[in-house]
Amino acid sequence: MKFLRPLFLLFIFILSKGNGVFAQNKKVDSLVALYQKLPADTQKISTGLLLSRTLLKQSRNSDALNYCKELQKQCEAAIKTAASDKLNFYKKNFGATYNLEGNVYYYNSDFQKATECYAQALKIYEEIGDDKGIANSVNNLGLMASTQANYPKAYEYYMKALKIRERINDENGMASSYNNLAIILEHQGNYSSALEFHFKALALNEKRADKYGISTSLINIGAVYSNQKNYKKAEEYYLRCLPILVEIGNKHGLANIYNNLGIVYLDDRKVKEAVAYHQKALEVRKEIGDQYGVGFSYMNLGSIYSSQKNYAAALEYNLKALEIRKEIQDSLGIALAYNGMGMCYYNQKKFVEAERCSKQAYDFAFKTGEQEAVKEAAKTLSDIYAAMGNFQKAYQFQSTYLSVRDSMQSEESLKDGVRAE
């Protein structure tokens, strides 16, 4: 079974630059002190937003949300009484608080609340004709569609955001759009085009010396190489990224790097190192409340135990993952968890249970258009039906598996990836 990792999506909010975790904490302390001293005016709103964004960057989600809620009340009150020359400022920042609140809910895996916040932000920005705000909100709605594996809708949102950002020459936003479009293309198995967009994003992030953006691009480039089974190249990009994430104190990114290194080391037959890195990823994700990531860690650990023929432990981890995926309504994650369970039952020669789980996996994957999951479920079903003596269905799903596999990993696609770099 292929080991999967959540792609680290970059969605727009302005991030403060810093020279390490200590510097970041010192900056938070100074921002808190300044915010508390300021009277309720435009400067207090601006300071509060910068503070909230800095807290979220450090994975202090609860603190960021508290300031967000407070800022919304201040903006709402100010809009009712503000002079005409300041009214647009308060409305613009009112929209920004909803985008930021949506980001907090996204990291907390509450995708419904996140979507509601992004939609509210978009409504506010459209009322005042703020193109940058509109693009940010549309981009974030694309992120929600992608998280729910609605890739055609996500692509539509991301392209709409990119066109606005190119028109207003928003390089920070363009880097985000390139990154997110690349992730959609990767999900659809188009690795060469995905790499092309990721390198475009990396170039813009390096041009602006945006360490957060650079780390995002490096993670995603490594992930594409990992999916192409070029593990040496994947490890190179992950290790380039690791010190940057430690420096800026980005725990979300750090968890993803641990997870991805676990994948690389397992495929390099370094099982002990792989388990250690997946456990590290799981610990960080639990610490920051990233349920979406926790589900992936459970599935990856389940796959390792399955490869070691410890099927009881493998089923336990996949069931934990399935419970989380259902809770956050993640169709792709549900498909992967069911397929992991199907493989466990198959290896135990419990073919009826294996067929039931793997068929559910295939149906979910087919519905969402997630090619990697379709491929894995089709392969499992082919093996199951062959073992059951149903060779017609075994041939049918084997054909599906080969077709999807060949379309995703053609030799020309690999060559195009090298040319893109």
Side-chain angles (χ1 to χ4, degrees), residues 295-310:
F296 272 100
S297 290
Y298 282 147
M299 281 192 289
N300 286 336
L301 285 165
S303 297
I304 291 175
Y305 287 119
S306 181
S307 69
Q308 295 178 319
K309 300 184 179 180
N310 186 346

Side-chain angles (χ1 to χ4, degrees), residues 231 261-275 307-308:
Y231 302 119
L261 282 168
I263 295 169
V264 167
Y265 288 130
L266 185 72
D267 283 300
D268 200 23
R269 301 182 185 278
K270 298 176 181 176
V271 177
K272 184 177 179 181
E273 291 88 341
V275 171
S307 69
Q308 295 178 319

Side-chain angles (χ1 to χ4, degrees), residues 200-213:
K200 281 185 178 183
L202 179 60
L204 281 176
N205 289 325
E206 288 178 333
K207 175 184 175 183
R208 297 177 299 108
D210 179 356
K211 291 183 178 179
Y212 187 87

Side-chain angles (χ1 to χ4, degrees), residues 72 113 118 125 133 137 146 148 167 217 219 234 238 252 288 315 332 338 371 377 390 413:
Q72 285 172 2
K113 283 187 178 180
Y118 295 146
Y125 285 128
S137 302
S146 177
Q148 300 301 314
R167 176 164 54 80
S217 294
I219 291 173
Y238 293 152
H252 291 281
I288 62 180
L315 277 170
L332 171 59
Y338 270 128
Q371 293 300 290
N390 189 337
S413 177

Side-chain angles (χ1 to χ4, degrees), residues 63 70-71 90 112 129 132-133 143 182 187 196 199 203 208 225 236 238 253 266 280 284 305 339 347 351 354 373 385:
D63 292 334
E70 190 174 313
L71 290 168
Y90 285 116
Q112 182 176 346
K132 187 172 183 178
L143 172 63
H187 276 300
E196 183 180 347
F199 283 118
R208 297 177 299 108
Y225 281 124
E236 173 191 328
Y238 293 152
L266 185 72
K280 279 186 177 183
V284 175
Y305 287 119
N339 195 57
N347 287 319
F351 300 128
Y385 285 124

Side-chain angles (χ1 to χ4, degrees), residues 136-398:
N136 291 349
S137 302
V138 169
N139 182 81
N140 289 344
L141 287 168
L143 172 63
M144 292 299 93
S146 177
T147 301
Q148 300 301 314
N150 187 346
Y151 300 124
K153 192 66 176 178
Y155 191 87
E156 179 185 330
Y157 276 128
Y158 288 152
M159 284 302 299
K160 182 178 179 180
L162 176 61
K163 288 177 182 178
I164 296 173
R165 287 163 169 173
E166 287 177 336
R167 176 164 54 80
I168 64 177
N169 196 31
D170 175 13
E171 289 189 340
N172 189 30
M174 287 162 61
S176 169
S177 292
Y178 289 146
N179 188 76
N180 291 342
L181 284 165
I183 289 169
I184 297 301
L185 290 165
E186 185 185 356
H187 276 300
Q188 295 173 333
N190 190 343
Y191 295 132
S192 58
S193 295
L195 278 174
E196 183 180 347
F197 274 116
H198 279 315
F199 283 118
K200 281 185 178 183
L202 179 60
L204 281 176
N205 289 325
E206 288 178 333
K207 175 184 175 183
R208 297 177 299 108
D210 179 356
K211 291 183 178 179
Y212 187 87
I214 290 169
S215 67
T216 297
S217 294
L218 292 175
I219 291 173
N220 284 324
I221 291 170
V224 175
Y225 281 124
S226 180
N227 275 338
Q228 291 181 308
K229 302 188 186 304
N230 189 341
Y231 302 119
K232 184 177 180 181
K233 201 73 175 174
E235 182 184 20
E236 173 191 328
Y237 278 92
Y238 293 152
L239 293 179
R240 273 180 62 184
C241 183
L242 193 56
I244 299 174
L245 293 169
V246 172
E247 178 185 349
I248 65 178
N250 183 349
K251 291 184 179 179
H252 291 281
L254 200 59
N256 281 321
I257 281 290
Y258 288 150
N259 185 88
N260 293 3
L261 282 168
I263 295 169
V264 167
Y265 288 130
L266 185 72
D267 283 300
D268 200 23
R269 301 182 185 278
K270 298 176 181 176
V271 177
K272 184 177 179 181
E273 291 88 341
V275 171
Y277 272 107
H278 282 304
Q279 289 287 4
K280 279 186 177 183
L282 180 60
E283 289 170 11
V284 175
R285 285 163 171 167
K286 284 182 175 179
E287 177 190 342
I288 62 180
D290 178 11
Q291 289 293 89
Y292 188 68
V294 167
F296 272 100
S297 290
Y298 282 147
M299 281 192 289
N300 286 336
L301 285 165
S303 297
I304 291 175
Y305 287 119
S306 181
S307 69
Q308 295 178 319
K309 300 184 179 180
N310 186 346
Y311 301 123
L315 277 170
E316 179 184 348
Y317 275 108
N318 276 290
L319 281 168
K320 284 182 178 181
L322 182 61
E323 184 179 344
I324 290 174
R325 295 313 190 187
K326 286 183 175 179
E327 182 182 332
I328 64 177
Q329 299 178 359
D330 172 22
S331 296
L332 171 59
I334 291 170
L336 296 172
Y338 270 128
N339 195 57
M341 292 167 62
M343 292 186 70
C344 286
Y345 286 126
Y346 167 77
N347 287 319
Q348 293 176 299
K349 302 188 185 303
K350 297 179 180 179
F351 300 128
V352 174
E353 294 92 334
E355 180 191 15
R356 174 178 54 81
C357 290
S358 297
K359 190 64 170 64
Q360 286 178 296
Y362 183 84
D363 290 342
F364 271 108
F366 189 82
K367 180 179 71 174
T368 61
E370 172 55 62
Q371 293 300 290
E372 184 65 44
V374 169
K375 183 188 77 173
E376 296 297 332
K379 180 65 171 68
T380 305
L381 282 166
S382 177
D383 292 342
I384 291 168
Y385 285 124
M388 296 173 72
N390 189 337
F391 299 112
Q392 182 178 354
K393 283 194 173 182
Y395 176 77
Q396 173 191 334
F397 283 104
Q398 178 70 2

